[in-house]
Amino acid sequence: MLQNILDWLHDMGPLGMFIHSFADAIIFPVPAFVLQVSLSILDPSSALWLATIGYIACILGTPFGYLIGKLAGDKILNKILKKSWIDSATHMFQKNGEMAILIGSFTPIPFKVFTILSGFLHFPLWRLIAYAAIGRAVKFYVVGVLFYLYGRAAEGMAKDVSLYVGLCAIPLIAAFIYYKRKKSKKAEADRSNG
């Protein structure tokens, strides 16, 4: 049944990309990356357009996933997702919610885990959207640029994109969050002393 849905979305082209990406942020079990790659293989010249469609749809779907998490997160998460994904995402959130969202944007863990978990754990919605906007832009546009520049030859590169982007992005994200925390602590100390 899932394959039939994927085939139907594929046949719809860019509209299917929009629907898949929107649903990926909410409840659909297959990441939008799968459809983005298969559609980009068919027409590499439209890869950046497909990245834009997927990105916008994902950001629009994010508040709906959040709302599901806020209203029925525990029940939903345990029914639709692997326990290992939930445990991994929960652990990341408990350590640092921002970093979990940014890293989650690049990992094979479906993005809906992070939208639903954000609502369930009462992470601020505006922060979820802000960090999702950064992370998902990188994920969608790296794939789009690869196909736009290299055509069908990018298929092999796209399969490893999460790994490469993660290896480059995670240290940068960690440095940014460290800097942000240090600046926040300094400002707090200045207020206490002033």
Side-chain angles (χ1 to χ4, degrees), residues 178-192:
Y178 173 77
Y179 171 77
K180 188 175 133 189
R181 283 188 176 168
K182 191 173 181 177
K183 188 176 174 182
S184 176
K185 284 181 184 177
K186 185 178 184 300
E188 196 174 296
D190 289 346
R191 276 185 291 220
S192 296

Side-chain angles (χ1 to χ4, degrees), residues 77-89:
L77 288 170
N78 289 314
K79 284 187 180 178
I80 64 167
L81 302 170
K82 293 180 183 177
K83 185 174 179 352
S84 62
W85 288 347
I86 297 168
D87 293 344
S88 176

